[in-house]
Amino acid sequence: MTYVVTDNCIRCKYTDCVEVCPVDCFYEGENFLVIHPDECIDCGVCEPECPAEAIKPDTEPGLDKWLKVNAEYAAIWPNITVKRDPMPEAKEMDGEQGKFEKYFSTNPGAGD
């Protein structure tokens, strides 16, 4: 098992989760975070820290797509280990449906 970041993170990008991760397995895109599935130790400390409730265990049904997205982009985006401010539109974007199709960016973030 591993944890994955799902679409509700897109254009919110709260980073409370990266601050508590003991193995620094978060990677930053322009408007989204991902978890490297081979680095995640399944401790679960990140899940309750996400204000957008975008972090889920990959054992939940229907998360195969997100496991692939997390693995693909964790391999190419920079590592992030420090908390930063969320995106300016985070509160408005929290809970919007279909964010991956509408807003997902493949561009990397700044990382540490």
Side-chain angles (χ1 to χ4, degrees), residues 20-33:
V20 299
C21 180
V23 293
D24 299 335
C25 66
F26 281 87
Y27 292 81
E28 182 184 19
E30 180 178 40
N31 66 3
F32 185 57
L33 299 174

Side-chain angles (χ1 to χ4, degrees), residues 88-110:
E89 66 271 20
K91 287 185 181 177
E92 294 80 34
M93 296 301 298
D94 188 2
E96 183 174 330
Q97 299 296 308
K99 288 168 46 169
F100 185 79
E101 293 76 19
K102 294 180 200 174
Y103 309 118
F104 178 74
S105 170
T106 60
N107 295 330

Side-chain angles (χ1 to χ4, degrees), residues 38-90:
D38 294 335
E39 296 174 2
C40 178
I41 60 170
D42 313 325
C43 68
V45 297
C46 59
E47 185 181 20
E49 295 300 318
C50 181
E53 299 181 358
I55 299 173
K56 307 286 183 193
D58 73 342
T59 54
E60 284 191 15
L63 294 181
D64 292 342
K65 167 188 176 177
W66 293 106
L67 183 58
K68 290 176 186 169
V69 168
N70 278 245
E72 178 180 350
Y73 290 98
I76 57 175
W77 285 350
N79 189 239
I80 180 170
T81 62
V82 294
K83 182 178 176 180
R84 293 201 195 109
D85 290 336
M87 298 190 81
E89 66 271 20

